[in-house]
Amino acid sequence: MLSNISWSNYIIGAILLLLVYYTIVAFLFYRAEILHLLRNVKPLPDKMGSMKERLGVNSIEGLKTVVADIRAILELAAKNRVSKDELLGQLADRLANFDGLHNTAYRIALSNYIINNAENTSGVAINEDELEVVFEGLPR
């Protein structure tokens, strides 16, 4: 019986079975999206939107603003020749309202930016331990 089936018939049958299988799987997992596409309705709202907000994607603009403010603080500190304690206090005042510090990546990025630019811009060297004290002293 199996000798009566040619390879071309076998391949066509296998392809048809795979198409049916993947059509059923797609319909089970993406039923709402498929029905919306078939009905030609406007696209579904982005399900990832709330997740993006939780992950802080919108905070990137806030991070850019904080970095610009820190740059300005460092430049002003160079002009006014402030002490390390005064500079750390100014940085703490600016960082106190930035919610992105809960995101470890933003915190590390800010730490690296401050450490790498403080001495070059303001002439005041700040190390990681001093910044950690500042971060820990911020209101949560």
Side-chain angles (χ1 to χ4, degrees):
M1 179 169 162
L2 291 178
S3 61
N4 294 335
I5 299 174
S6 68
W7 280 105
S8 62
N9 287 341
Y10 173 76
I11 291 173
I12 291 171
I15 290 172
L16 288 174
L17 284 174
L18 284 173
L19 284 173
V20 169
Y21 172 77
Y22 282 110
T23 302
I24 291 171
V25 168
F27 188 74
L28 289 175
F29 287 102
Y30 301 104
R31 182 179 331 190
E33 289 87 350
I34 292 171
L35 291 175
H36 274 65
L37 286 174
L38 293 175
R39 291 182 188 149
N40 202 12
V41 181
K42 67 179 183 177
L44 291 173
D46 185 13
K47 293 179 183 178
M48 297 298 289
S50 61
M51 185 181 297
K52 287 178 185 175
E53 291 170 9
R54 277 186 271 137
L55 293 176
V57 172
N58 293 334
S59 297
I60 290 176
E61 292 302 319
L63 180 64
K64 290 178 183 177
T65 303
V66 169
V67 168
D69 291 347
I70 289 172
R71 182 181 313 124
I73 289 170
L74 294 175
E75 290 170 356
L76 190 61
K79 290 178 185 174
N80 296 335
R81 298 186 183 262
V82 299
S83 69
K84 183 184 284 192
D85 290 336
E86 290 175 303
L87 179 58
L88 290 173
Q90 292 173 359
L91 292 172
D93 289 342
R94 177 55 190 101
L95 294 172
N97 297 323
F98 180 55
D99 291 333
L101 288 178
H102 296 102
N103 185 333
T104 305
Y106 291 166
R107 188 172 176 159
I108 291 170
L110 284 173
S111 294
N112 288 336
Y113 180 82
I114 293 169
I115 291 168
N116 292 331
N117 292 294
E119 188 169 13
N120 295 338
T121 305
S122 67
V124 178
I126 298 174
N127 64 39
E128 193 173 335
D129 295 331
E130 293 166 333
L131 272 180
E132 194 59 35
V133 170
V134 171
F135 288 144
E136 293 301 321
L138 295 175
R140 304 246 174 212

